[in-house]
Amino acid sequence: MPESKISGLAGMTLKKKTLVLAVFSTVAMVVFLLISNQRQMQNVSQRILAQVSQNIAPVIIATSRSDTKDGYVFESKWTYEYTSSLCKGASIPLMSEDLLCKKRPEFLSGYKNPCWKETTKEGKETVRCMPYFHLLGADKCGSTDLFDRILQHPEMEPAGCGLFKECYYWCWTRYGVWMKNNSVPTRKTFEAYLAHFKQASSSIHLREVDGYHSHITGEGTPMDLWDFRGWPRIPQNEHLAEPLIMTPHLMKHMYPHPKLLVILRSPADRLYSDYYFLGYGNSPERFHKDAIRAVAMIENCQKTRTTKQCIFDMDMYVNLPMRIHISCYSVFMKEWMRVFPRESFLVLRNEDYGHDIKNHMSMVFSFLNMSRLPDEDMDVISNAKRKHVTQSKKNKGPMMESTRVLLNKFFEPFNKELATLLQDDRFLWKDNN
């Protein structure tokens, strides 16, 4: 989105800001879908919060333990000093930019958002900012709807990315990856990524009260949660069978305390929506056949390789008849929770969010340390129409019961692992079986 379009959002009333965001979000989505469909056709072969209600409370775990029983380990070694010591120091052909060689900025104390001062080539001092938070995903779990409502808070400054939220840097463009295309010739640098937040940085700098800048910006690329297939192109992973460094490590190196939002959905339902949204098939019967194939492909791979190797593999992603691996949430959450302490995360269930949006938005704003809004403003935000609903799925009818049984059995061990990681049995999705 061009900066001239975004800059006009500053100072608008909530209703006007909501209307403008809705219009631009719709236009951006149309463009995104056109690009996505074209890309796919080309690759078709290939923090603690009071619980408002026990039933809707998200997972916010505020203790940072070094380990837990069932395999989860928060690895406190991932300090800036340690990651800096892993810098390769030289450009390696076919590898992405080595972020571990970059110096972390000295963040300004009077800003809530991670911002710092730089001097331009012309000798002018300017303020630059990174995202304060990331809505990590996952795809078809309501992340677009959630981010759109966050954007309506007056302290939120939009990024210059698709839908004001999706920059694709951490998951795709830094590796030369796009959708199923693993060989895009151009790769974006971290400097190019920061350019998405130029207008937001200016707005954050200008909005100051009593010497404090309370406005924030954020990013919400849903693929950031799970798409680690570019890991072989990270210099520190050269010649390794499994990755040492992935997106969480790189992000932790550049800024240590981001707020990390995650919204998840029943794995089978997420997959069913995703299947039609991306045009993999056109009927419940076809979905059933492709589900059998996808389960077999993952399980056969697990006989000779680790689950991580199978799930993060480029070729597997390209060849799967549906994106079944994205719903294996625990595989990805383990990687994030090894690097960031638990209080960094707010994890929501889409099912609970949909039943009580207003209370969930209050939780989100509190987690992000944003000002509490009047009830009338919260009503405007929570009563807005849901965004990015997959109409094609509704037109196809419900999933076949035999397919749901098959998928629930496949996802069961991943759900159990996730529930253990998050210490919350709601993530077993027993209410959806």
Side-chain angles (χ1 to χ4, degrees), residues 12 15 46 51 89 134 212 321 408-409:
M12 283 188 178
K15 290 184 178 180
Q46 316 255 317
Q51 293 188 352
H134 288 262
Y212 187 70
N408 284 345
K409 181 180 180 180

Side-chain angles (χ1 to χ4, degrees), residues 11-12 41 60 72 120 127 140 151 154-155 183 192 196 242 283 300 304 351 364 373 385 387 396 404 414 429:
M12 283 188 178
M41 291 303 293
I60 309 172
Y72 164 70
T120 66
V127 170
K140 305 312 297 175
L151 280 171
E155 294 173 1
S183 57
H196 290 297
E242 285 193 2
S283 70
N300 286 333
T304 58
E351 294 85 356
V364 169
L373 298 178
K385 184 178 179 181
K387 299 291 179 68
K396 305 302 180 185
R404 186 175 293 278
F414 298 103
W429 277 283

